[in-house]
Amino acid sequence: MTEPDETARSTRSGDPIRVLIVDDHALIRRSLEMALAAEADIEVVGEASDGQEAVELADRLTPDVMLMDVRMPRRSGIEAAREIKASVPSTRIIMLTVSDEEEDLFEAIKAGATGYLLKNVQLDEVPEAVRGVHEGQSLINPAMAAKLITEFANMSRKEAERPPQLPVPRLTEREMEVLRLVAKGMNNREIAKQLFISENTVKNHVRNILDKLQLHSRMEAVVYAVRERMLEIT
């Protein structure tokens, strides 16, 4: 798990984190439910067995966090994530995957997922992952960050050939510096050291960036900035 995205939504004091579990294997759903059931601050509000059902339940239940398999029948987790982020943008989505080598993971991030968990994760780590994402963290490990940088570079080259779109929100010079370092996979501590500023200042800059771009996570901000040619990654 990496740095906070500084976009944790405020909830009423004492409210449990509402979680929706999505996987086509009943045993995995049951295991995740058991891992979360004992937590006083987490409530499993529903389960779905495929992407189509996930979309329908998310729209009805508006969960705070979703644990969702990447590969499922009827509609994949990526397709479902894209639709859920459009209809329920406040929901944080953690993709569940067998391997961090899956090419789909980059597509999941572009679709709005906050990060991923390997299915062989220790069950006692699941509640902390849910809390972390709810508080604004991205579940992106260094290996995945390196892969994302490569994909962002490829994306940047492709987008250079696209005709200009509508004007994008303007970021300050410092905010652009921070965003470039986020795109390189740096966490808040590393960015602070690089720019000779405090971690709290970095958090404030990231929060301002997300507010201006009207996005929910650092990775979404990087994808947006590359797509709109605010960043060039080589």
Side-chain angles (χ1 to χ4, degrees), residues 18-20 45-47 56-64 88:
R18 305 173 72 255
V19 178
L20 178 61
V45 295
E47 296 181 12
E56 295 167 359
L57 281 180
D59 190 53
R60 188 167 83 237
L61 300 174
T62 60
D64 298 311
V88 195

Side-chain angles (χ1 to χ4, degrees), residues 178-219:
V178 170
L179 189 55
R180 288 188 192 97
L181 297 178
V182 169
K184 291 182 179 180
M186 290 189 180
N187 60 34
N188 287 351
R189 184 174 305 166
E190 293 166 337
I191 294 172
K193 184 176 180 180
Q194 179 81 13
L195 299 180
F196 302 101
I197 57 180
S198 71
E199 285 189 57
N200 280 336
T201 300
V202 174
K203 291 179 182 179
N204 288 335
H205 284 313
V206 173
R207 185 182 297 113
N208 290 337
I209 290 167
L210 296 178
D211 285 345
K212 288 182 179 181
L213 301 182
Q214 297 184 330
L215 297 172
H216 296 86
S217 77
R218 313 155 72 98
M219 288 296 103

Side-chain angles (χ1 to χ4, degrees), residues 27 37 101 149 170 172 187:
L27 182 59
E101 296 297 324
I149 292 168
R170 292 183 63 86
T172 67
N187 60 34

Side-chain angles (χ1 to χ4, degrees), residues 29-192:
R29 294 198 306 272
R30 178 58 178 160
S31 296
L32 292 170
E33 182 185 16
M34 289 177 63
L36 299 173
E39 307 297 321
D41 60 335
I42 297 175
E43 176 188 4
V44 176
V45 295
E47 296 181 12
S49 58
D50 60 55
Q52 180 60 42
E53 189 179 4
V55 171
E56 295 167 359
L57 281 180
D59 190 53
R60 188 167 83 237
L61 300 174
T62 60
D64 298 311
V65 176
M66 293 184 67
L67 294 167
M68 183 155 61
D69 191 13
V70 172
R71 300 180 184 277
M72 293 182 293
R74 289 215 291 170
R75 183 174 296 186
S76 73
I78 294 170
E79 293 172 332
R82 191 174 293 115
E83 188 165 341
I84 290 165
K85 291 303 289 188
S87 62
V88 195
S90 61
T91 295
R92 309 266 183 170
I93 301 173
I94 302 172
M95 304 306 295
L96 300 171
T97 176
V98 175
S99 168
D100 62 1
E101 296 297 324
E102 289 190 33
E103 295 179 2
D104 291 337
L105 292 175
F106 179 68
E107 293 302 318
I109 296 298
K110 289 201 296 183
T114 306
Y116 72 94
L117 275 180
L118 295 178
K119 287 188 176 181
N120 63 0
V121 67
Q122 295 295 316
L123 288 179
D124 59 3
E125 295 179 28
V126 176
E128 284 306 311
V130 168
R131 293 186 187 100
V133 164
H134 184 255
E135 292 169 1
Q137 294 177 9
S138 290
L139 295 177
I140 306 291
N141 70 16
M144 183 59 182
K147 294 175 189 175
L148 289 177
I149 292 168
T150 300
E151 292 292 346
F152 290 144
N154 293 336
M155 183 179 171
S156 182
R157 286 192 290 272
K158 292 177 182 177
E159 293 299 328
E161 302 172 1
R162 188 172 60 86
Q165 302 297 301
L166 295 174
V168 298
R170 292 183 63 86
L171 301 181
T172 67
E173 183 176 344
R174 179 62 93 184
E175 288 166 353
M176 286 302 302
E177 286 181 312
V178 170
L179 189 55
R180 288 188 192 97
L181 297 178
V182 169
K184 291 182 179 180
M186 290 189 180
N187 60 34
N188 287 351
R189 184 174 305 166
E190 293 166 337
I191 294 172

